Amino acid sequence: MDVAISTNDARRLLKNLMNTPIAPGKYSHFINVGTDHILDALDHNYFRGELADGLGCFKYLEGGYGSGKTQFINSLAQRAGEQDVVTAIVTVGAECPFNSPVAIFHEIMGSFQPPLEAQLDGNEGKGLEVLIGSWIHRRIKQLGAEPGNDVPELVQRQIEQQIGDLWLGAPDPQMASALAALSQRLLKLACGAAHSIGDNEMIAWVRGDNVRSNALKGVGLFEPARDDNAFRRLKTVIAFLRTRMAYKGFLIAFDEGTRTSSFRRGSVKQKQAIENLLTMINQNADGEFGGVMFLYAATPDFRSDVISTYSALQDRIGSKAFSKGSPMVPLINIEEASSRDVISGIGKRLLAVFSQAHDKQWDRQMQIANIEAIVAAQEQFLYETPKPRFFVYQYCRFLNQQLQNEHQISAEQASDFVNNNEPPLQGFDA
């Protein structure tokens, strides 16, 4: 199976997989197998359709530990980026407890990533300021100039008019003023101006940091982000990016690891977390965000232990999972896309990645037999079909050994390898 990946990207992907047993970020789509029919439907219906019309949606992604939720999210983000949709992938946990609106806002602002075209131009950073800055650079080029000291005054004025008009009726007037001021400042920097301390303060303020200064007060920014204004500020950011910079849609994904165990069932924190999720779902459905796909990923116990006790949330997620006949339902069960064929398919993808990274021509028939032997040994070891993460961790190490001495292994050798290469516990349960 051919994988359209460059040698450098193949090497980076394998380095990530060999170092940590987690989904390899932006390279995830290269080894993603079994969920293309789901990704295709979401791409067609939302990234190429409803989001551009200002319509939003909510998706709930369910799967056990190591089942591929994070890989699915990153593969979905790749599809979004290809359609000029902005992405933000947030890990729910200590840095972003979901019971805190301001923490949610802060992490989204720091996780915004420009669409694929801007990333290919070298804008691989994350954050609201990176997103705005990448648009400014693209706009300068669209108007026939190059960023730097020689940007014509006429080009600067055209961009200033597009981003700097007074915004009456913004959900949060202070954030509207901050976005206009920051955009104007980033334009000046793109045209050769020098950085200042005030730039960093303004970036920190729009990202949701608790920062105050006389310089910020001078441009009307008195109050940092708080729980009671965080969602208004998020709506303001989304609307600004859509109307002033013509970003046509947004994928904001929340990837939950082990957070559910930290909130006692029925606790105040848990109730607030559910309230925050419902606020995003309901207000997005009412069009208050505009063009946003919110996605929340968690393990099955979250639905059985938490969602089942909140009827309002249960009603919005439902019990019918995504299928080709029902592509628009909120619930996506990643477990249903996992099978022995899928695991073998991932192995074939990894075989191609190793081939590209190391300029290695495999004996394909031999290595496919080895894949089947490894999977069978894992099934015997686990008493079930292995989760993608478990398989990837062990199979990458197996192929690394095969690079030096390619040979077909017996069932006994496969069993010995599986038993002697258990993955580390740290980082493996998310």
Side-chain angles (χ1 to χ4, degrees):
M1 180 183 296
D2 293 330
V3 176
I5 186 172
S6 69
T7 298
N8 285 338
D9 281 345
R11 289 172 178 169
R12 292 190 188 101
L13 169 55
L14 293 182
K15 182 179 179 181
N16 290 346
L17 291 175
M18 295 296 290
N19 287 339
T20 53
I22 58 176
K26 68 177 183 178
Y27 302 109
S28 294
H29 62 286
F30 289 118
I31 60 170
N32 189 66
V33 176
T35 58
D36 280 345
H37 64 294
I38 305 176
L39 296 170
D40 288 344
L42 296 177
D43 187 351
H44 175 76
N45 289 304
Y46 298 106
F47 301 153
R48 300 170 192 257
E50 293 190 358
L51 299 189
D53 296 329
L55 301 175
C57 67
F58 170 72
K59 300 297 176 184
Y60 179 77
L61 178 66
E62 182 174 284
Y65 296 122
S67 62
K69 297 187 298 300
T70 303
Q71 180 155 304
F72 178 89
I73 290 172
N74 281 292
S75 299
L76 184 61
Q78 174 71 17
R79 298 287 192 100
E82 291 172 355
Q83 299 305 318
D84 207 35
V85 170
V86 174
T87 62
I89 301 175
V90 174
T91 300
V92 177
E95 295 297 319
C96 182
F98 212 75
N99 64 297
S100 169
V102 72
I104 294 170
F105 173 77
H106 181 272
E107 289 303 304
I108 293 173
M109 293 302 102
S111 300
F112 272 135
Q113 191 160 16
L116 189 60
E117 182 182 344
Q119 294 178 42
L120 294 175
D121 288 338
N123 295 296
E124 294 191 352
K126 294 181 181 181
L128 180 58
E129 75 282 3
V130 174
L131 186 59
I132 295 174
S134 70
W135 178 86
I136 289 171
H137 278 71
R138 272 201 290 174
R139 192 73 184 111
I140 290 173
K141 292 179 179 180
Q142 288 170 354
L143 293 171
E146 287 294 325
N149 295 325
D150 298 326
V151 178
E153 188 67 29
L154 178 60
V155 170
Q156 295 187 48
R157 285 202 302 270
Q158 283 183 267
I159 298 175
E160 285 173 354
Q161 291 172 359
Q162 188 170 352
I163 61 181
D165 291 343
L166 183 65
W167 182 2
L168 298 176
D172 188 276
Q174 281 194 61
M175 178 55 79
S177 298
L179 291 171
L182 176 61
S183 299
Q184 296 285 1
R185 183 59 190 155
L186 291 175
L187 174 60
K188 295 298 183 186
L189 293 173
C191 296
H195 284 274
S196 70
I197 294 176
D199 298 335
N200 295 333
E201 290 181 343
M202 187 174 296
I203 290 170
W205 193 95
V206 299
R207 274 187 172 227
D209 289 340
N210 186 12
V211 56
R212 302 171 189 261
S213 73
N214 290 331
L216 291 172
K217 290 179 181 178
V219 290
L221 309 183
F222 298 92
E223 292 294 333
R226 304 185 310 268
D227 280 343
D228 61 353
N229 64 27
F231 286 147
R232 291 200 307 273
R233 292 195 173 177
L234 178 58
K235 293 174 194 175
T236 305
V237 170
I238 296 296
F240 182 90
L241 294 171
R242 279 183 59 84
T243 59
R244 304 296 173 94
M245 299 185 171
Y247 284 117
K248 71 177 187 180
F250 303 83
L251 166 63
I252 300 177
F254 300 99
D255 190 4
E256 180 182 285
T258 58
R259 188 197 61 80
T260 51
S261 62
S262 66
F263 289 142
R264 182 172 51 82
R265 184 171 178 172
S267 68
V268 172
K269 286 184 176 181
Q270 187 186 85
K271 290 177 180 177
Q272 184 60 56
I274 297 300
E275 185 64 31
N276 292 338
L277 188 56
L278 283 171
T279 296
M280 284 188 282
I281 295 171
N282 294 338
Q283 293 183 0
N284 198 31
D286 291 338
E288 293 187 37
F289 286 96
V292 178
M293 174 189 288
F294 284 119
L295 182 149
Y296 195 94
T299 53
D301 60 330
F302 184 74
R303 187 153 60 108
S304 60
D305 295 347
V306 180
I307 294 174
S308 62
T309 65
Y310 294 90
S311 58
L313 185 56
Q314 191 170 17
D315 290 345
R316 284 154 182 79
I317 292 174
S319 57
K320 184 174 184 179
F322 176 98
S323 67
K324 291 183 179 180
S326 304
M328 307 295 276
V329 298
L331 176 60
I332 300 171
N333 189 339
I334 203 78
E335 298 280 1
E336 295 180 358
S338 184
S339 66
R340 189 171 189 183
D341 286 343
V342 167
I343 300 301
S344 296
I346 295 173
K348 293 170 186 175
R349 291 283 183 96
L350 287 169
L351 199 62
V353 172
F354 266 86
S355 178
Q356 184 70 23
H358 296 282
D359 193 23
K360 172 74 173 179
Q361 298 301 314
W362 297 105
D363 182 326
R364 186 169 176 79
Q365 186 174 357
M366 177 190 296
Q367 291 302 336
I368 289 177
N370 285 342
I371 290 173
E372 297 304 319
I374 292 289
V375 174
Q378 289 179 336
E379 287 178 333
Q380 190 175 37
F381 178 78
L382 298 169
Y383 301 103
E384 63 178 1
T385 300
K387 295 289 192 293
R389 188 175 299 178
F390 184 92
F391 170 77
V392 169
Y393 178 85
Q394 291 195 330
Y395 187 60
C396 283
R397 280 148 184 78
F398 173 79
L399 281 184
N400 201 49
Q401 294 180 6
Q402 289 280 305
L403 286 171
Q404 304 303 321
N405 179 26
E406 184 178 11
H407 63 282
Q408 187 163 343
I409 59 173
S410 65
E412 184 179 0
Q413 289 171 318
S415 180
D416 288 343
F417 180 87
V418 168
N419 280 273
N420 292 327
N421 287 273
E422 288 191 57
L425 294 176
Q426 185 175 7
F428 198 79
D429 59 350

